[in-house]
Amino acid sequence: MNNKLSVIMGCLLLLFVISCQEKKKEKEQEASLDGIWESIGYGRLAHIKKDHITLYETSAISCYPIMEEEITGLGDELRIKDDTLQLKDGINIYQFVRRDEFPQQCVAMDETKKQDALYNFEVLASIFKEHYAYFEMRNIKWDSLYTQTKSKITTQTSAPELFMIMEEMLDQFNDGHIDIEAPEEIEDQADSLREPSQPVDTSITRYSDFSVAKLVGDHYLKDKELTKNSRVMRWESSMIH
C-alpha cells in the first residue's frame, strides 16, 4: 500500500513539475517581444529581434519596411499584454498577434520592382483595395478609378510623373486623412510638370509634412529623449494646412 502511495505521489509530483515548467515557458514567451507580429487590420507586420524593431507595410503583393528603430526609443509606446503586442502611434493604437513566419511576399521581395512604375501603382492600389473603408461614403467607384488611372501608366513612366498621377487619383477621394509623399526632388519635378493656374512665387520655400515636423521638433523639443520618436510630431504637422 505504501509503495502504491509512493508511486502515485511521485507521478503527481512529476506532473506538477512539468505543468510548472510549461507555464513558466509560456510566460517567458509572452514576456519576450522577439518574433514576428501581424497587425489586426491595417496591413502592418512587425519583426522584433533583440532590441530592434522593423515595421513593414504589407499587401497581397508587397512587403516593405516603413520604420526601423531601437526598442528603447519607443518607451511605453510598445508593450505586450497577454498574447497581444500593442504599438501606440500618436492617437492610434495598433494591435499585433504572433505568427510563426514571414508571409511569402516578404520572403520573396524583388528589389528591382522598386523602379517599376506599374508595380508601384499596383502596390498603392492593393493597399487601398484591402484596407480603405470609405469607398462608398466618399462615393468612389474604385474599379473605374483604378482602371482609369492605370491606363495613364507605362513601364516608361518616370517617378515624378507617377507621383503626379497617383496624387491626382487620391485627390478624388476628398479625404483629408489621405496623403502621399515622395523625396523632395521628385515632388519638385512633379510640380514642374503641372501647368500652374497662376504664377508660382519661387521665393517661398515649400516644406513637406516631415520637414515641418523636424523643424518644429528641433526648435521646441530640446530633450533628446523627446526627439527620438517624431511620429506624433509628424501627425500634428499633417493637420496644418
Side-chain angles (χ1 to χ4, degrees):
M1 185 68 178
N2 289 337
N3 289 339
K4 289 183 178 180
L5 183 60
S6 297
V7 171
I8 292 173
M9 291 297 294
C11 290
L12 289 175
L13 180 60
L14 178 62
L15 289 173
F16 177 76
V17 171
I18 293 174
S19 176
C20 288
Q21 289 176 342
E22 289 178 349
K23 287 181 179 179
K24 181 181 179 181
K25 185 178 180 180
E26 288 175 2
K27 286 184 178 180
E28 288 175 349
Q29 186 177 21
E30 288 178 1
S32 172
L33 298 177
D34 283 13
I36 302 168
W37 299 83
E38 185 174 30
S39 66
I40 302 173
Y42 303 101
R44 301 291 172 87
L45 194 75
H47 181 214
I48 301 177
K49 187 175 182 181
K50 295 183 179 179
D51 296 325
H52 187 268
I53 178 172
T54 303
L55 189 66
Y56 297 84
E57 183 170 65
T58 69
S59 73
I61 63 170
S62 62
C63 177
Y64 289 102
I66 57 175
M67 184 197 81
E68 293 186 28
E69 194 161 338
E70 296 294 325
I71 295 293
T72 52
L74 294 172
D76 294 335
E77 294 178 352
L78 184 71
R79 64 190 186 93
I80 189 170
K81 184 178 180 181
D82 297 327
D83 60 349
T84 304
L85 183 74
Q86 294 184 348
L87 174 62
K88 185 177 181 182
D89 187 2
I91 62 172
N92 301 309
I93 297 178
Y94 299 96
Q95 295 184 321
F96 297 75
V97 293
R98 287 188 184 275
R99 61 174 295 152
D100 295 331
E101 57 187 16
F102 280 104
Q104 183 60 29
Q105 66 268 33
C106 294
V107 177
M109 284 191 297
D110 186 349
E111 294 297 320
T112 61
K113 286 186 175 181
K114 288 183 178 181
Q115 308 304 320
D116 187 321
L118 277 170
Y119 174 72
N120 275 270
F121 169 72
E122 291 292 0
V123 169
L124 178 68
S126 182
I127 290 171
F128 268 83
K129 184 177 180 180
E130 294 173 30
H131 302 295
Y132 191 70
Y134 304 109
F135 288 117
E136 186 174 349
M137 180 182 294
R138 295 287 173 180
N139 195 29
I140 297 296
K141 308 299 182 185
W142 172 247
D143 290 340
S144 175
L145 181 59
Y146 163 80
T147 303
Q148 179 186 4
T149 306
K150 185 178 179 180
S151 68
K152 301 176 183 179
I153 304 169
T154 70
T155 55
Q156 303 304 313
T157 300
S158 67
E161 290 171 335
L162 178 63
F163 176 79
M164 182 176 66
I165 291 169
M166 294 195 297
E167 188 177 49
E168 289 174 350
M169 180 187 79
L170 298 182
D171 283 345
Q172 297 188 47
F173 284 75
N174 194 29
D175 187 338
H177 295 92
I178 294 176
D179 189 23
I180 181 171
E181 291 190 353
E184 191 171 337
E185 62 271 18
I186 292 179
E187 293 196 23
D188 289 342
Q189 291 173 39
D191 285 342
S192 68
L193 296 174
R194 300 185 179 92
E195 294 185 7
S197 56
Q198 58 185 14
V200 177
D201 187 348
T202 57
S203 66
I204 299 176
T205 304
R206 295 176 67 254
Y207 295 96
S208 68
D209 287 347
F210 292 104
S211 297
V212 172
K214 186 177 187 308
L215 289 170
V216 173
D218 290 344
H219 183 77
Y220 289 103
L221 302 180
K222 304 301 182 182
D223 190 334
K224 291 182 178 179
E225 291 300 317
L226 294 176
T227 59
K228 282 183 179 179
N229 188 343
S230 62
R231 285 188 299 281
V232 175
M233 292 303 301
R234 289 175 183 175
W235 181 85
E236 293 290 351
S237 71
S238 68
M239 302 302 290
I240 301 173
H241 299 285

